[in-house]
Amino acid sequence: MKHTLSVLVEDEAGVLSRISSLFARRGFNIESLAVGPGEQGGVSRITMVVPGDDRVIEQLTKQLYKLVNVLKVQDITETPCVERELMLVKVNATSSNRSEVIELAQIFRARVVDVAEDSLTLEVVGDPGKMVAIVQVLQKFGLREMARTGKIALTRESGVNTELLKSLEAKVS
């Protein structure tokens, strides 16, 4: 199972290196990693997607807390969250298929951020599932390049679980 960890750390040189070394020494992979300033000055938020069972994640959490600059570790996998990812994707788009690529981009609320003679670069923002879906749809045109940020997430103060709402809506439809 994949777990999403939200880690607050002191914003100091080497903290990310120490965290990634901890994972490497124990043979654990980090599937996605996003780092940026947190809500307080001097504090950064690291969002990681890590494969493993509950026991492995509990062990990693304990190990993370042993690092000097780690302030808080939360496994937010089962917590209602807002999750987003940013992707830039360059797709083949000739004069014959350009309008179809743009239509598909609009369906996914993607923005065209660069236009070339034979390609379009799209900016896509959304949950990780949206990224997978648009890539599948665009593959028939040919993908030239792709860059993804990795997942970022914040827990929902409202406590509303959007995945639960989606499943209820599907049953009603």
Side-chain angles (χ1 to χ4, degrees):
M1 178 178 173
K2 294 180 185 177
H3 288 259
T4 303
L5 299 179
S6 179
V7 183
L8 292 177
V9 297
E10 293 173 1
D11 192 11
E12 293 187 14
V15 69
L16 185 57
S17 175
R18 285 190 289 283
I19 288 173
S20 62
S21 294
L22 173 102
F23 279 72
R25 281 192 311 271
R26 284 158 181 73
F28 295 118
N29 187 33
I30 299 173
E31 288 190 9
S32 170
L33 179 69
V35 184
E39 56 278 4
Q40 293 179 316
V43 175
S44 290
R45 181 178 304 274
I46 300 172
T47 306
M48 294 185 269
V49 176
V50 182
D53 59 23
D54 290 341
R55 186 186 57 76
V56 166
I57 300 305
E58 184 180 335
Q59 178 188 5
L60 282 173
T61 299
K62 288 176 182 175
Q63 294 297 315
L64 283 167
Y65 271 120
K66 290 181 180 179
L67 297 176
V68 174
N69 302 110
V70 173
L71 304 172
K72 184 177 181 182
V73 180
Q74 257 185 307
D75 181 357
I76 59 173
T77 309
E78 300 296 327
T79 307
C81 292
V82 177
E83 300 175 338
R84 294 293 182 267
E85 191 171 331
L86 168 67
M87 176 175 65
L88 295 174
V89 60
K90 192 180 297 180
V91 61
N92 291 327
T94 59
S95 57
S96 62
N97 68 6
R98 186 176 303 267
S99 61
E100 187 179 357
V101 172
I102 291 171
E103 268 183 52
L104 288 169
Q106 289 172 341
I107 290 169
F108 284 90
R109 295 189 185 115
R111 292 179 356 149
V112 176
V113 293
D114 187 52
V115 178
E117 191 174 318
D118 58 353
S119 71
L120 292 172
T121 302
L122 306 175
E123 172 189 85
V124 189
V125 177
D127 64 75
K130 179 179 180 177
M131 303 299 144
V132 171
I134 194 169
V135 165
Q136 287 177 341
V137 168
L138 293 175
Q139 278 185 324
K140 70 178 182 181
F141 302 104
L143 302 179
R144 291 185 176 192
E145 292 181 79
M146 182 172 65
R148 291 173 65 169
T149 60
K151 180 167 55 171
I152 58 170
L154 290 176
T155 59
R156 289 185 179 270
E157 291 294 319
S158 66
V160 174
N161 184 341
T162 54
E163 294 303 313
L164 175 65
L165 293 176
K166 285 180 193 175
S167 68
L168 292 175
E169 187 177 278
K171 289 178 184 175
V172 173
S173 304

